[in-house]
Amino acid sequence: MGRRAGFRLEPVLKVRRAAEQAAERAAAEADAAAREAGRRADEQAAALAARVPPPSAPAHVFLAAMVSSAAAAADVRAARATAQASAEQAGLLRARWTAAAQETRALEKLRERHLLALRAAELSAEERAVDDLVTRRHAVRSGENGEEEPWTG
């Protein structure tokens, strides 16, 4: 059959697969970080909601509790902002992963087409070889008695 032609873009496909895998890992890590940031924000919000100033405390204790609660509320807002930013970052990384996967799929389709074309060429070559063999056999038979025999398939 001869030397089988390789897919010239195979190195590019390997690089794209590696890039897709790296993007997948980055997206998974970003998703985990976003979930963790959201969990921490929820915990802080729950802790803030559970704070209740003492009912019959002196004014200075009540004031200290209110200042502490205000600081905790600021921490909750910051935690929620961090969780939101982490979720947005995770979304961007998922989009990069999707783009990398699409690039990989496009090259894989090209590779499949290449392999199909090679197989079609091999089949065509085999058919030509069989046709040549049948034609030679027919020519040899015709040459033995000097008459041409009709080909019957």
Side-chain angles (χ1 to χ4, degrees):
M1 288 300 132
R3 185 175 167 264
R4 188 173 182 131
F7 182 55
R8 290 184 182 187
L9 296 176
E10 192 69 37
V12 177
L13 180 58
K14 286 180 183 178
V15 169
R16 292 281 169 89
R17 283 180 179 154
E20 179 185 353
Q21 290 170 351
E24 180 181 11
R25 281 190 301 274
E29 290 170 4
D31 281 338
R35 281 192 307 276
E36 179 62 22
R39 186 192 60 75
R40 281 193 308 267
D42 291 342
E43 284 177 357
Q44 288 179 354
L48 177 62
R51 285 182 178 213
V52 178
S56 60
H60 71 281
V61 173
F62 181 79
L63 185 59
M66 298 301 346
V67 169
S68 174
S69 292
D75 289 345
V76 169
R77 280 192 302 276
R80 291 211 186 277
T82 300
Q84 179 64 32
S86 293
E88 289 172 4
Q89 179 67 20
L92 290 173
L93 289 174
R94 277 192 305 276
R96 284 186 186 163
W97 175 28
T98 299
Q102 288 173 345
E103 291 173 355
T104 302
R105 298 303 167 260
L107 279 175
E108 286 173 342
K109 285 182 180 180
L110 283 174
R111 184 175 187 271
E112 288 172 14
R113 286 183 194 156
H114 173 75
L115 293 174
L116 287 173
L118 286 177
R119 184 64 187 141
E122 287 175 357
L123 289 174
S124 178
E126 287 175 11
E127 288 173 2
R128 281 192 308 273
V130 169
D131 287 346
D132 289 347
L133 181 64
V134 169
T135 304
R136 268 190 242 122
R137 282 187 183 167
H138 181 68
V140 168
R141 286 184 191 159
S142 299
E144 290 176 358
N145 22 350
E147 302 178 11
E148 186 174 318
E149 293 180 22
W151 186 72
T152 59

